[in-house]
């Protein structure tokens, strides 16, 4: 620990053979720090925080972002006051120094699989995917699960630490419910989350990765609903379960019977994917209890629809307050994410896989997702770069579209991350390292100076 600094204690994750600690900011298994923060005051000042004040214009074009230095007064996990730099402060409260770094809203990883990962162990690339169907991948996973279960809790904790190091303090994790692991993956994930109950928030989706009908897990899914799960999951009802309506009906019935939400993996493109989206909208229309409680993850079929059907579907998704969770895919499919946002469909993003048998590329970095979003949709100017941050923060932005401060405000949760950037537009374009992350007023990653 450096003199005059408060920092989290380092915890190097070494499992299943382990590995040496990686250089800070380098992609790998050990680029996250975790532990109990030394900054645990319930009422304190954080001075030298850079906040956005407004946009600079050339005519009606946004050409820059104005910022200023402030002191955040944090009490009992909330923003108690915003004091301009130089304002008189109480001499009795502890003071910490952000050093002029920019505060951004805490990130939200709304599609991740904390329960199964190679992260925390030795490097292991996925098997070749060329020519493999999703059923082939399910068969592979059935063999892998017994090797992952013994360390799944520790690996989940390692992923949580990684997310915190990237500025994320809230997540939605899909958790396998399958015949091989039964409820063990869920039990291990719950143990990991319990250890982080004060520094990380997470919703859980019970995910029938091997098919709700195909793997005959209706009973296990219902049992999972009694264990602290918030969402019923599903998977490709035509390609995996071979019975679209029966599969979707079974998923929705669990949700209706238990009062839970729905978050389904829908990778199918073409007619089967479009039919599934339409059937789900129809079901929500017929069951008002589901309105505002259904998320379609991936939803690639939306990118392959004819323009007229796409526009009609987006309007119907908006009317039923359905959510899209997208990883902002890079490749042949360009999802109509801006079009959905323009029509009022809530769009969020997530890491999905972090170094597992599906993909080796997940970094756990939601700011990087904003960077990809800005690139894919050509949001290269100051205004649109700043708007791109919203997909990573659950819609929370420092400035509204008119350039007025929208965050932080007195009474907001003290959930933010500090970065070395002049404004959010620069942060999206350059993806700087996060130096500290705060959740409910606690510093859960990084360091700040003692003022």
């Amino acid at each position: 620990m450096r003199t005059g600094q408060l920092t989290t204690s380092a915890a190097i994750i070494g499992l299943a053979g382990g590995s040496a600690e990686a250089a800070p900011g380098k992609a790998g298994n050990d680029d996250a720090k975790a532990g109990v923060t030394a900054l645990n005051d319930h009422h304190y000042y954080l001075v030298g925080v850079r906040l956005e004040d407004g946009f600079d214009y050339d005519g009606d074009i946004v050409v820059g972002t104005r910022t200023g230095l402030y002191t955040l007064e944090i009490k009992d996990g909330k923003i108690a006051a915003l004091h301009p730099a130089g304002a008189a402060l109480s001499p009795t409260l502890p003071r910490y120094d952000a050093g002029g770094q920019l505060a951004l809203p805490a990130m939200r990883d709304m599609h991740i699989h904390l329960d199964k990962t190679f992260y925390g162990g030795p490097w292991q690339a996925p098997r070749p995917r060329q020519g493999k169907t999703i059923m082939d991948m399910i068969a592979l996973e059935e063999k892998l699960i017994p090797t992952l279960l013994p360390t799944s809790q520790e690996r989940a904790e390692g992923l949580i630490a990684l997310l915190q190091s990237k500025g994320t303090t809230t997540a939605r994790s899909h958790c396998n419910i399958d015949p091989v692991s039964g409820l063990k993956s869920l039990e291990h994930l719950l143990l990991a989350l319990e250890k982080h109950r004060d520094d990380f928030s997470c919703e859980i989706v019970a995910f029938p990765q091997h098919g709700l009908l195909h793997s005959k897990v209706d009973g296990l899914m219902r049992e999972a609903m009694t264990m602290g799960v918030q969402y019923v999951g599903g998977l490709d009802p035509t390609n995996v379960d071979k019975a679209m309506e029966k599969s979707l009906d079974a998923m929705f019935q669990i949700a209706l019977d238990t009062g839970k939400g729905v978050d389904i993996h829908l990778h199918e493109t073409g007619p089967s994917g479009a039919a599934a989206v339409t059937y789900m909208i129809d079901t929500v229309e017929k069951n008002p209890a589901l309105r505002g409680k259904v998320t379609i993850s991936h939803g690639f079929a939306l990118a392959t629809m004819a323009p007229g059907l796409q526009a009609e579907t987006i309007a119907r998704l908006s009317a039923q307050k359905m959510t899209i969770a997208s990883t902002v895919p890079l490749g042949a499919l360009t999802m109509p994410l801006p079009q959905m946002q323009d029509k009022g469909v809530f769009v969020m993003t997530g890491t999905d896989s972090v170094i597992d048998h599906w993909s080796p590329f997940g970094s756990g970095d939601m700011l990087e997702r904003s960077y990809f979003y800005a690139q894919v949709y050509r949001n290269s100017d100051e205004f649109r770069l700043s708007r791109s941050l919203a997909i990573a923060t659950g819609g929370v932005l420092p400035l509204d579209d008119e350039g007025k401060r929208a965050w932080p405000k007195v009474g907001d949760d003290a959930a933010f991350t500090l970065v070395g950037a002049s404004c959010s537009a620069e942060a999206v374009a350059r993806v700087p390292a996060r130096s500290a992350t705060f959740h409910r007023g606690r510093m859960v990653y990084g360091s700040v100076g003692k003022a």
Side-chain angles (χ1 to χ4, degrees), residues 1-206:
M1 184 184 297
R2 291 177 290 171
T3 304
Q5 296 283 314
L6 292 179
T7 183
T8 58
S9 59
I12 300 174
I13 305 297
L15 305 167
S19 57
E21 186 172 16
K26 190 175 181 180
N29 287 344
D30 303 292
D31 53 358
K33 293 180 180 179
V36 179
T37 176
L39 198 169
N40 54 15
D41 305 278
H42 77 94
H43 192 186
Y44 63 92
Y45 293 124
L46 184 61
V47 306
V49 178
R50 187 168 302 280
L51 298 178
E52 296 187 1
D53 288 331
F55 291 131
D56 286 326
Y57 293 87
D58 181 1
D60 60 356
I61 298 174
V62 174
V63 294
T65 304
R66 290 179 286 105
T67 64
L69 294 179
Y70 293 83
T71 293
L72 302 185
E73 183 177 341
I74 297 173
K75 182 178 181 181
D76 297 329
K78 301 284 187 180
I79 304 292
L82 298 174
H83 303 281
L89 304 175
S90 169
T92 62
L93 289 182
R95 301 186 191 190
Y96 305 99
D97 190 356
Q101 294 187 92
L102 179 72
L104 295 176
M107 308 291 159
R108 300 168 62 88
D109 190 328
M110 301 308 287
H111 187 107
I112 190 170
H113 296 262
L114 293 174
D115 66 312
K116 55 183 183 184
T117 178
F118 297 157
Y119 185 83
W123 165 251
Q124 183 178 352
R127 302 283 183 89
R129 290 283 299 275
Q130 287 81 359
K132 302 295 183 183
T133 67
I134 191 168
M135 301 310 295
D136 294 329
M137 293 299 293
I138 288 171
L140 171 62
E141 185 170 290
E142 289 173 340
K143 297 177 181 178
L144 283 173
I145 285 173
T147 70
L148 296 174
L149 271 177
T151 56
S152 66
Q153 178 185 338
E154 292 86 352
R155 290 172 187 260
E157 291 179 39
L159 279 184
I160 291 169
L162 173 67
L163 297 184
Q164 290 172 326
S165 77
K166 304 298 185 181
T168 294
T169 63
T170 297
R172 181 184 293 180
S173 178
H174 297 254
C175 182
N176 263 43
I177 306 294
D178 60 71
V180 179
S181 62
L183 296 173
K184 285 295 182 183
S185 291
L186 176 57
E187 292 169 358
H188 292 182
L189 177 57
L190 288 170
L191 289 171
L193 293 175
E194 176 62 24
K195 291 184 70 172
H196 289 275
R197 63 185 301 179
D198 295 327
D199 58 47
F200 190 76
S201 298
C202 186
E203 302 170 336
I204 301 176
V205 183

Side-chain angles (χ1 to χ4, degrees), residues 174-178 181-187 189-190 204-208 212 217-233 254 258 260:
H174 297 254
C175 182
N176 263 43
I177 306 294
D178 60 71
S181 62
L183 296 173
K184 285 295 182 183
S185 291
L186 176 57
E187 292 169 358
L189 177 57
L190 288 170
I204 301 176
V205 183
F207 176 42
L212 179 57
V217 291
D218 189 282
L220 284 174
M221 291 284 287
R222 290 178 180 276
E223 191 172 350
M225 294 302 111
T226 70
M227 297 172 61
V229 169
Q230 289 82 18
Y231 291 87
V232 182
I254 297 172
T258 60
K260 305 293 185 177

Side-chain angles (χ1 to χ4, degrees), residues 318-393:
S318 178
Q320 298 309 315
K321 298 188 180 301
M322 296 171 71
T323 297
I324 298 295
S326 174
T327 58
V328 192
L330 306 176
L333 288 176
T334 301
M335 291 290 293
L337 303 184
Q339 296 93 317
M340 288 191 279
Q341 291 168 316
D342 288 345
K343 296 300 182 181
V345 178
F346 187 69
V347 175
M348 56 194 188
T349 192
T351 296
D352 202 359
S353 302
V354 178
I355 310 178
D356 63 9
H357 60 289
W358 295 91
S359 170
F361 299 117
S363 67
D365 194 341
M366 292 301 97
L367 189 56
E368 183 182 69
R369 292 288 115 189
S370 292
Y371 166 85
F372 289 144
Y373 180 91
Q375 282 202 319
V376 169
Y377 300 106
R378 300 181 181 180
N379 291 353
S380 59
D381 59 89
E382 182 84 2
F383 179 76
R384 290 177 180 172
L385 281 168
S386 73
R387 304 302 89 183
S388 297
L389 180 65
I391 198 170
T393 63

